[in-house]
Amino acid sequence: EAGVTQFPSHSVIEKGQTVTLRCDPISGHDNLYWYRRVMGKEIKFLLHFVKESKQDESGMPNNRFLAERTGGTYSTLKVQPAELEDSGVYFCASSQALMYGYTFGSGTRLTVV
Amino acid sequence: GEDVEQSLFLSVREGDSSVINCTYTDSSSTYLYWYKQEPGAGLQLLTYIFSNMDMKQDQRLTVLLNKKDKHLSLRIADTQTGDSAIYFCAESLSGGYQKVTFGTGTKLQVIP
């Protein structure tokens, strides 16, 4: 079974540019989550999809962040325009209902300079 | 609100036991987890415990939960160099279909 795949693994962009992160969950997992870890701090929840619907987006920091999940399959997280404080590692995870714990991707390390 | 706290760093000698501690604030937490992150990799679920349990053992791993004090610990017996990683404590109100609140992570360094 393929795991959760994230692309790209690293991205370095300039302040003001746009970046789009992609996540491919495990096939058949309805739940998809985005998390972010800013350097040395805790991993913070961003949002949760159930299929193509946003179940909980309470963790999205501001309207520069836009997440989509087309057809309930892969998801994208767009940051536009990027700011310095957006730097960090963005993790995607997926789960099936009633599973205990998530399966995480390896993360995308975003650096805004 | 939810808050999960951990010490940032732990160093142990190979073969010794490691104990990583965590405190959480949300008394309604139902599931408590330990995740492991190796360099360059994603988070791997190590083990979890339900809030109505006191202890769970899984090979070299022992999880202890003191619900009264909201304290969770992870003990790794016979620690190996391959156990060097960051360990995250986490909690959620329900299972895999709700958000999880993570701690800052404890970096475990195993000295040969």
Side-chain angles (χ1 to χ4, degrees):
Chain A
E1 176 184 74
V4 177
T5 305
Q6 291 187 245
F7 181 83
S9 57
H10 293 82
S11 180
V12 181
I13 61 171
E14 292 183 352
K15 176 182 171 181
Q17 288 186 322
T18 297
V19 63
T20 300
L21 314 181
R22 173 169 169 147
C23 170
D24 287 77
I26 291 174
S27 177
H29 280 193
D30 291 336
N31 297 281
L32 186 149
Y33 308 82
W34 284 97
Y35 284 79
R36 175 174 75 170
R37 186 178 193 218
V38 174
M39 182 62 71
K41 297 194 175 180
E42 66 270 28
I43 299 170
K44 286 283 197 183
F45 168 80
L46 294 177
L47 89 159
H48 170 203
F49 283 101
V50 178
K51 297 185 180 179
E52 66 274 8
S53 301
K54 291 177 185 174
Q55 178 78 9
D56 180 355
E57 51 183 331
S58 61
M60 294 289 264
N62 51 61
N63 59 9
R64 295 186 294 103
F65 288 75
L66 175 64
E68 295 178 323
R69 189 179 182 192
T70 306
T73 55
Y74 70 92
S75 174
T76 57
L77 179 64
K78 181 191 287 189
V79 185
Q80 179 183 28
E83 298 289 343
L84 298 178
E85 64 264 25
D86 300 332
S87 296
V89 181
Y90 290 77
F91 290 103
C92 175
S94 72
S95 73
Q96 192 50 285
L98 301 182
M99 276 178 60
Y100 305 119
Y102 306 149
T103 300
F104 275 86
S106 299
T108 294
R109 181 174 294 277
L110 174 65
T111 303
V112 183
V113 296
Chain B
E2 309 102 357
D3 192 21
V4 179
E5 295 189 355
Q6 304 176 236
S7 54
L8 293 179
F9 189 76
L10 176 65
S11 179
V12 299
R13 292 206 172 274
E14 188 175 19
D16 288 350
S17 292
S18 307
V19 179
I20 303 171
N21 295 301
C22 166
T23 57
Y24 60 98
T25 57
D26 194 337
S27 57
S28 54
S29 297
T30 306
Y31 297 82
L32 295 134
Y33 307 90
W34 284 103
Y35 281 85
K36 175 184 180 183
Q37 185 188 20
E38 297 183 28
L43 282 79
Q44 171 197 355
L45 178 65
L46 276 182
T47 186
Y48 61 90
I49 188 169
F50 300 122
S51 60
N52 61 357
M53 298 168 63
D54 297 325
M55 185 183 84
K56 181 178 180 181
Q57 187 152 3
D58 183 1
Q59 300 182 334
R60 292 190 298 120
L61 305 179
T62 303
V63 178
L64 294 177
L65 174 61
N66 181 328
K67 195 174 181 182
K68 174 176 171 290
D69 294 338
K70 301 190 190 72
H71 182 266
L72 183 74
S73 68
L74 174 69
R75 179 177 180 269
I76 305 173
D78 188 24
T79 312
Q80 303 297 307
T81 54
D83 296 324
S84 293
I86 301 175
Y87 291 80
F88 290 92
C89 171
E91 58 90 18
S92 75
L93 297 180
S94 67
Y97 47 94
Q98 282 205 3
K99 70 176 183 182
V100 171
T101 300
F102 287 88
T104 53
T106 299
K107 186 172 184 178
L108 175 64
Q109 179 187 47
V110 182
I111 303 167

